Amino acid sequence: MSDRKPAGQFIDAAIDLLRRVRDEEADSIEAAGTLLADTVQSGGRLFAFGAGHSSLAAQDVVYRAGGLALMNLLTVPGVVGVDVMPATLGSALERVDGLASAVLDSSPLREGDALVIISLSGRNALPVEMAMNARALGVRVIGVTSVAYASETTSRHTSGTFLKDHCDIVLDSKIAVGDAELTLDTVPAPFAPASTVVTSALMQAMTATAAATLADRGTEPPLLRSGNVDGGHEWNSRVLDQYGDRIFYRR
């Protein structure tokens, strides 16, 4: 490590990763944003899913000021965050075969929708089956994952495949296996994960592309405004009412 303090080292590492995804994933981000725009224009619905800490980036684009009002959170009880007790249950559920099928069977997802699946490793049964089964329904799937895991770890799904193998578009977060950017001789394990920073940036870059693409086509993007600015609540009420049949977080 350099002489810079750990806080600065972590921020530098995150900036380097953000630059990498900006430069190396530009085409994929454009394609993903265009897919979302196509889905909005064709009357489809938008969903995002992530398990554990990957859910943070999914939640970040749902009911969010400056975000697409049509983005819905696909939830799986017990894996959305660390609020479940014990928190380790979420990790165990990610490895359960068949859970994704049960979730999709009871979800509103249908042919013509788009689903963004976030999984850092992409190796567990839940995200792999979620992608496989969603595509079988005619849903377009965008995967946000670290492709490095596919070459440096083994899949935990019976097919031996990873999330990246079952997506229409893949956004590679470039996160190293283990998700820890810093090491110190005095600290026994790597530390300072950057996956949330980078994955959230990828998600926002994708939705920004979708909004701009819709505007370029002459369609007003269904964006939400902050409720803390004058007129924000009125704006949001109009958008939510206009697209109410495609928004599920109000029900």
Side-chain angles (χ1 to χ4, degrees), residues 33-101:
T34 301
L35 189 156
L36 295 186
D38 292 343
T39 304
V40 171
Q41 285 195 301
S42 64
R45 294 86 57 80
L46 309 179
F47 295 85
F49 167 76
H53 287 94
S54 290
S55 180
L56 295 173
Q59 294 179 57
D60 191 46
V61 295
V62 176
Y63 189 50
R64 179 63 188 264
L68 294 172
L70 273 62
M71 186 65 76
N72 300 278
L73 187 67
L74 182 64
T75 59
V76 178
V79 307
V80 175
V82 294
D83 57 332
V84 63
M85 291 297 174
T88 51
L89 175 62
S91 297
L93 289 174
E94 285 188 71
R95 304 177 188 180
V96 174
D97 293 329
L99 180 56
S101 296

Side-chain angles (χ1 to χ4, degrees), residues 24-247:
E24 298 174 21
E25 297 300 299
D27 290 344
S28 295
I29 294 169
E30 185 73 19
T34 301
L35 189 156
L36 295 186
D38 292 343
T39 304
V40 171
Q41 285 195 301
S42 64
R45 294 86 57 80
L46 309 179
F47 295 85
F49 167 76
H53 287 94
S54 290
S55 180
L56 295 173
Q59 294 179 57
D60 191 46
V61 295
V62 176
Y63 189 50
R64 179 63 188 264
L68 294 172
L70 273 62
M71 186 65 76
N72 300 278
L73 187 67
L74 182 64
T75 59
V76 178
V79 307
V80 175
V82 294
D83 57 332
V84 63
M85 291 297 174
T88 51
L89 175 62
S91 297
L93 289 174
E94 285 188 71
R95 304 177 188 180
V96 174
D97 293 329
L99 180 56
S101 296
V103 169
L104 290 176
D105 287 346
S106 60
S107 79
L109 271 166
R110 67 188 185 195
E111 184 177 0
D113 291 344
L115 171 63
V116 185
I117 300 176
I118 306 166
S119 174
L120 176 60
S121 72
R123 69 189 297 222
N124 289 311
L126 182 56
V128 173
E129 288 185 358
M130 187 79 73
M132 294 173 66
N133 294 348
R135 291 183 86 188
L137 291 173
V139 173
R140 302 293 298 279
V141 175
I142 299 168
V144 186
T145 187
S146 171
V147 172
Y149 277 82
S151 59
E152 299 181 40
T153 68
T154 57
S155 171
R156 290 185 175 132
H157 186 252
T158 54
S159 68
T161 60
F162 288 75
L163 169 62
K164 73 174 186 65
D165 300 316
H166 305 284
C167 299
D168 296 283
I169 299 168
V170 174
L171 303 183
D172 183 4
S173 64
K174 316 293 181 182
I175 300 295
V177 173
D179 191 18
E181 294 300 319
L182 304 184
T183 58
L184 277 175
D185 293 340
T186 53
V187 178
F191 59 104
S195 60
T196 303
V197 175
V198 178
T199 303
S200 291
L202 281 167
M203 295 292 287
Q204 294 296 347
M206 176 183 64
T207 54
T209 299
T213 300
L214 287 168
D216 287 344
R217 296 174 178 178
T219 298
E220 179 184 328
L223 297 170
L224 296 173
R225 300 192 69 178
S226 171
N228 295 313
V229 300
D230 291 342
H233 287 299
E234 293 76 13
W235 173 283
N236 291 342
S237 292
R238 174 183 66 83
V239 173
L240 293 174
D241 288 343
Q242 181 179 350
Y243 292 95
D245 61 333
R246 297 155 75 179
I247 295 171

